[in-house]
Amino acid sequence: MPLYLPDMIYENGASLPDKGFHFGMRMLADDLREHYRRYGREGWVLLMDYKQFFPSASHAAIFDRHKKLLRHPNIREIADKIVRTVPGEYGLPLGVEVSQMEMVGLPSPVDNFIKCQLHIKGASHYMDDYPILIPPHRDPKEILNKIVEKAAEYGLTVNLAKTHICPLTKPFKYCKAKFRLTETGKVVINGNRKSVPRARHKFKALKRMYDSGERTFEDVRTSIQGSIAYFENYNDHNRVLKLRRLVYSLFGFKLDKRHNIIKEDYDQCDMYFSNAFEEWAFAGT
């Protein structure tokens, strides 16, 4: 991976040191603010996605990258052998660290083309998902066509069915999060709305399993904290309050600022769980 890094753009955030999913969210938010300072809310966002990103990866394109970036012949030979373990001329397996390293860097020529040749500064990507901010004096369809042609040179196919051009005056979704650029230039980010009913169903199921002794208090504590903490990464204060109220109505737990059960309820729930478990075990005999 260190040998691939010089060829990558800074905004490439997947599986890289000190980066990740939320890094990509921050990069897009920063690009939106910079775009607003220059053009206001005029312009577009091009939401682009590659088709069958891992299954359609061209081995020939990967070998060409090895020749360019892996100068030591022994290292290049090992890297080529690993890719050749996959039968055929296309595709890499999901969930394998080596595959992840290769696919994170494979679109780098397209990234540099967007940044340098097309002169679009507000572009980033997380794996195969791209948000590209296009100024109002540029044609988004023309830019998309150029990107499609460039990606095809490296065996990458843009999924036109999932590619959208959205004006910045309207909300848009990127990696299941909803972005909205307000008239004042504020960037509002909301998490996946489907996560709220999932969290509610999860809390109610935890209550049933906790009462029956199938889940320990520690299981309930970590599940509650993790589910609510997801929304803390976004502008979802109201959703956080609603879930905290649901926890109190179901369990009677009071939560601190980090959504952890406060110490008084912790001791009380330990006693409750011990008594409930003894009653459940006695009823089973």
Side-chain angles (χ1 to χ4, degrees), residues 70-109:
L70 306 181
R71 300 300 179 86
H72 197 287
N74 294 340
I75 296 177
R76 185 168 62 248
E77 181 182 1
I78 293 173
D80 289 347
K81 285 182 178 179
I82 293 174
V83 176
R84 289 193 181 99
T85 58
V86 180
E89 299 180 356
Y90 297 93
L92 288 177
L94 286 168
V96 180
E97 184 176 358
V98 177
S99 300
Q100 190 78 5
M101 293 168 57
E102 294 288 356
M103 297 309 294
V104 166
L106 184 60
S108 292

Side-chain angles (χ1 to χ4, degrees), residues 204-219:
K204 293 176 182 179
L206 280 172
K207 172 62 175 174
R208 293 192 297 270
M209 290 186 285
Y210 179 69
D211 290 340
S212 65
E214 298 178 44
R215 290 290 185 271
T216 65
F217 174 75
E218 185 65 18
D219 294 335

Side-chain angles (χ1 to χ4, degrees), residues 195-203 224 226-232 236-251 253 255 259:
S195 297
V196 176
R198 281 200 294 264
R200 293 178 60 88
H201 293 321
K202 181 179 180 180
F203 291 168
I224 290 174
S227 298
I228 299 179
Y230 163 79
F231 294 101
E232 285 286 359
D236 284 327
H237 181 66
N238 289 336
R239 290 176 175 175
V240 170
L241 290 180
K242 290 179 181 179
L243 290 176
R244 287 172 64 97
R245 291 167 185 160
L246 177 63
V247 170
Y248 183 78
S249 65
L250 289 174
F251 297 92
F253 298 161
L255 306 180
H259 316 298

Side-chain angles (χ1 to χ4, degrees), residues 2 7 10 29 31 57 107 122 149 151 168 188 195 207 215 236-237 246 270:
D7 193 49
Y10 176 74
D31 288 341
E149 293 176 1
L168 290 176
V188 179
S195 297
K207 172 62 175 174
R215 290 290 185 271
D236 284 327
H237 181 66
L246 177 63
D270 274 345

